[in-house]
Amino acid sequence: MEAPKVERQSLLVHTFTDKAILRKAYMPFIKNGGLFFITTKKRRYKMGEKVSLAIKVNFDDVNENLRAKGKVVWITPENAEGYRSEGIGVQFSTEDAILGNKMEDYLAGTLDNETLTHTL
C-alpha cells in the first residue's frame, strides 16, 4: 500500500516593525485579506500555490506572532514597471480570514490614504 502524499508548502516568514511597512504590504482588496512578500530570484512561485505564513507584528503597542495558510494570488515579476519590488501577494485562507481583520485593526485610519503600496 502506497503512503499518502503530503503536500509541502513554502513557509514565508516576515516581521513588521513599522505600521507604514505593513500598510505597503497589506492587500485589502483581496477577499479575506492578504499580504505582499518581497521575494528573490532563487524561488519562483506559481499562481494558486499554497503557502504557510509566520508573521510577527511588533510596533506601537502590538506584539503578536501569527501563523496562517494562504495561496499566491498576485505575482510581480522581476523588472516590473514602476520600479515595483519583485514578489508575491498571498491571500489568507478562509480559515484564517480573521488575520485580515487583525491587519485592518493594526492599520486603522491608514487604509483610505493615497500611499503607494507594493501592489497598487
Side-chain angles (χ1 to χ4, degrees):
M1 181 182 240
E2 197 173 311
K5 290 185 179 183
V6 177
E7 184 176 328
R8 294 195 60 190
Q9 295 181 358
S10 293
L11 174 64
L12 297 169
V13 179
H14 192 75
T15 299
F16 291 98
T17 57
D18 183 277
K19 189 181 283 193
I21 294 168
L22 178 60
R23 173 65 190 105
K24 282 188 78 167
Y26 185 57
M27 302 171 75
F29 54 88
I30 301 291
K31 181 180 177 185
N32 302 333
L35 287 171
F36 183 85
F37 294 88
I38 295 173
T39 59
T40 66
K41 299 174 200 173
K42 295 178 186 174
R43 173 67 166 90
R44 295 285 179 216
Y45 292 86
K46 296 178 181 153
M47 293 294 284
E49 183 175 340
K50 293 180 181 179
V51 295
S52 295
L53 308 172
I55 302 162
K56 181 171 180 69
V57 180
N58 188 10
F59 56 79
D60 299 337
D61 59 348
V62 178
N63 187 1
E64 282 195 81
N65 292 307
L66 308 165
R67 294 193 69 85
K69 295 201 179 299
K71 69 178 178 179
V72 176
V73 295
W74 182 287
I75 297 175
T76 301
E78 182 181 12
N79 299 320
E81 285 185 42
Y83 304 102
R84 299 250 186 232
S85 298
E86 176 182 1
I88 59 170
V90 176
Q91 177 185 32
F92 304 136
S93 69
T94 303
E95 296 81 23
D96 293 314
I98 193 159
L99 193 55
N101 295 335
K102 282 184 173 269
M103 296 296 148
E104 292 190 12
D105 288 346
Y106 301 149
L107 296 170
T110 67
L111 291 175
D112 58 352
N113 69 22
E114 299 295 317
T115 302
L116 289 177
T117 67
H118 287 296
T119 53
L120 299 175

